[in-house]
Amino acid sequence: MSASGISLDRVEKTFSLEKRKTFTALKDVTLDVAQGEFLALLGPSGCGKSTILRMVAGLEEPTAGKLAVNGRGPRELVNEHRLGVAFQDHALLPWLTVFQNVSLPYQLAKRPVDKARIDDLLELVGLARFRDAFPRQLSGGMRQRASIARSLVLKPEVLLLDEPFGALDAVTRRRMNLELARIWSEERTTTVLVTHDVEEAVFLAQRVVVLAANPGRIRHEEVLSFDTARTEGLERTDEFHHVVDRLTRMLDAS
Amino acid sequence: MSSRGKKILLGILGALALILAAELIGRLGLAGKAWPAPSDAIFSVLGNKLNSALLFRSLGATLVSAGTGLLIGSVAGVAVGFLGFLFPVLRPGLDQTASILNTIPLVALAPLLITLVGPQGMSVLTAALGAGFAMFVATASGLLAVSPAHSDFFTVSGASRLQHIIRLSLPSAVPSLLGGLTLAGSGAVLGAVLGEWFGAPSGLGVLMISSMQNFQVKLLFVVALTAALVSLLAFYTMVAIQKLVGRRFA
C-alpha cells in the first residue's frame, strides 16, 4: 500500500436490509489512485461507484478491507480540512451568496477567509460577475460551477466529484467538462470522478475504471494517453471514439 | 388573469356572498332576534360612545395578553424544541407531553391552571399555550429539516457539531419557524380570548361573556367579529413576514 494517493485494499461494503437480509454493494475492490492522478469510476447505476466515493470521503465505513488516503484514514483527512467534494446535488446553502458559499470551507476550518483566492476561483469558474448572487438566481450549470469552486477553495489534497453534471442537459454538460478539464489542468489535484457517462469519463480522466453491478466489482481498467490535449478537438478524434465505443460495449454487457 | 388573481377574486366574492347572506337573514329576521344584520350591529355599537369605548378598551387588553402570551409561548416552545434537538433522548417524551397538553380540552385543564396562575393570569397562559405548541412543533421538525446533501457537505468539510448546528440546522429551521409563527399568532389571539372567560378583569372574552349574559346581541356580534378580525390580522402579518424573510431560506 502506497503512502501517497488513495488506496483501497480488498474493500467490501454490505448494507443490512430488513429481516436480517444483507446487500453486497461492493466486493473485493482493490484500487490505487496515484497522487495528482485524475481517475474516473464508470459504471451502471447500482454498481457501487458512489459508495466508493462516500467511503473515501469518510461518509461510509468499509465492511471489510483497508482504505487509506495519503497514508491515513479518510476521517483524518476530513478533520484536517484537506478534502474537497462536489456533489450531484450542488448542496449550496440557499441563504448564502455565491461568495459566502465558496468562503464557507474557510469558516468551517476556522481559517481566515482568503478573499483573493475566492475571487480568483470565481474568475476561473466564470462566476466573477455573480459573486453576490444567491443560488436560486443561478442556472443549474452555474450552481455546479460554484459547487466545484467551493470544493477547490482550500486547495484540497483529494478532490471527489460525484456526478457533478448528472442533472444538466447534454450541451451544458459538454461545456462544463471543457471547463473542468481547464480548471483541473491548473490545479492538478488528485481527483476521483464518479459518472455513468462514458464520454465524460474518457474526456476528463487519465484512467477509467469500469465497474460491474451485483455485486459491485472492478471489471476493467483503461489507461488513457491521448496525444491531443483535453480541449475542444479531442472528442472528434478517431482514437477517442474507439475508446468510448469499447467502454460503452463493456457497460452494455455488464 | 393569473391563477393567483383568480384565487383572490374568488375569495373576495365568497366573503361578499357570506356577508350578504348574513345581512339578508338579519334584515328579514329569518333567525329571530339572536341574528342581527351585521351592518346594523356594527353601526349601533360603534355609534354608541359607551359601547365603542368598552370595545376598544377590551381589544387593547386582549392584544396585550395575546402579545405577551405569543412572546412567552414562542420563547418556551422554541427552547423546549431546541432542548429535544440537543438531547435526542428527551425527544419522544417531549413530543408526547406536548401533544397530550394540546389535546386535553382547555375547559378540563382550566381549574388546574387557575390555581396555578390565578384568573388574571389565565389569558396570558392560554395564549402562551396556544402559541407555544405551534412553535414547539415548528422548532422540533424544522431543526431536523436539514437536507442530506447539505449535511454530507458539512461532514466532509470537517465541521464541528456546533458549526453544524449554528451554520446549518438553525438556518434550515427558519422556514418551519416562520410557518409556526403564522399559526402561533392567530393561536395566541384565540387563546387569549378563551382565557379571558375564566375571570379576567377585562378583554374581548370578558365582553363576550357579559354581553351574552345581558342579551346584548349586537355587542356580542361585534365583539366576535373583532376577535376574528384580530386573529386574521395576526395571521396575515405573520404570512407577510414569512414571505419577506422566508424567500431567502427556502
Side-chain angles (χ1 to χ4, degrees), chain A residues 54 57 59 75 78 81 83 85 87 89 91-95 104 107-108 110 134 136 150, chain B residues 147 149-160 163 167-168 171-172 247-250:
Chain A
R54 290 178 67 81
L59 290 167
R75 296 296 316 167
V78 162
H81 313 281
L83 178 71
V85 184
F87 299 93
D89 162 11
L92 297 171
L93 301 182
W95 53 86
L104 191 56
Q107 286 151 350
L108 296 179
K110 299 196 178 83
F134 288 98
R136 76 187 129 80
R150 182 180 63 178
Chain B
S147 92
H150 287 154
S151 190
D152 281 351
F153 166 69
F154 269 66
T155 307
V156 300
S157 302
S160 67
Q163 287 174 329
R167 290 183 182 273
L168 184 59
S172 299
R247 222 163 50 111
R248 206 177 144 182
F249 290 85

Side-chain angles (χ1 to χ4, degrees), chain B:
Chain B
M1 191 185 284
S2 68
S3 72
R4 189 161 174 266
K6 239 182 219 165
K7 233 168 128 183
I8 293 174
L9 188 73
L10 271 177
I12 293 174
L13 281 178
L16 280 179
L18 274 179
I19 292 172
L20 195 69
E23 186 74 26
L24 276 176
I25 293 171
R27 291 260 173 235
L28 300 175
L30 292 178
K33 281 198 165 170
W35 191 307
S39 63
D40 182 30
I42 291 168
F43 283 123
S44 78
V45 170
L46 292 184
N48 180 325
K49 263 192 183 152
L50 210 66
N51 272 350
S52 62
L54 189 62
L55 180 70
F56 287 118
R57 193 152 18 91
S58 308
L59 175 61
T62 300
L63 283 180
V64 169
S65 304
T68 316
L70 178 63
L71 194 71
I72 296 174
S74 300
V75 170
V78 170
V80 176
F82 196 66
L83 201 71
F85 172 71
L86 286 184
F87 306 102
V89 204
L90 298 176
R91 212 171 293 156
L94 288 176
D95 284 351
Q96 277 168 22
T97 312
S99 29
I100 288 170
L101 211 62
N102 190 53
T103 36
I104 295 177
L106 194 60
V107 189
L109 271 179
L112 201 75
L113 297 179
I114 291 174
T115 52
L116 204 70
V117 294
Q120 302 86 347
M122 274 299 277
S123 57
V124 172
L125 182 65
T126 48
L129 277 177
F133 182 72
M135 291 314 286
F136 166 74
V137 173
T139 310
S141 61
L143 285 170
L144 296 177
V146 170
S147 92
H150 287 154
S151 190
D152 281 351
F153 166 69
F154 269 66
T155 307
V156 300
S157 302
S160 67
R161 177 151 156 79
L162 189 68
Q163 287 174 329
H164 220 108
I165 292 172
I166 290 176
R167 290 183 182 273
L168 184 59
S169 300
L170 288 181
S172 299
V174 170
S176 175
L177 286 175
L178 292 171
L181 266 183
T182 62
L183 297 178
S186 43
V189 175
L190 186 73
V193 173
L194 277 179
E196 283 161 358
W197 288 8
F198 300 101
S202 72
L204 291 176
V206 179
L207 203 53
M208 268 180 198
I209 300 268
S210 71
S211 58
M212 191 162 65
Q213 282 164 351
N214 297 314
F215 207 66
Q216 293 170 288
V217 178
K218 287 176 184 171
L219 183 59
L220 176 61
F221 179 86
V222 175
V223 172
L225 191 70
T226 309
L229 284 178
V230 170
S231 178
L232 271 179
L233 197 70
F235 178 76
Y236 282 109
T237 308
M238 298 306 181
V239 169
I241 295 175
Q242 184 182 27
K243 281 214 175 114
L244 210 69
V245 186
R247 222 163 50 111
R248 206 177 144 182
F249 290 85

Side-chain angles (χ1 to χ4, degrees), chain A residues 1-9 56 66-74:
Chain A
M1 208 187 276
S2 60
S4 65
I6 305 166
S7 76
L8 283 80
D9 185 18
V56 176
K66 275 187 220 144
L67 194 162
V69 182
N70 290 348
R72 46 209 207 282

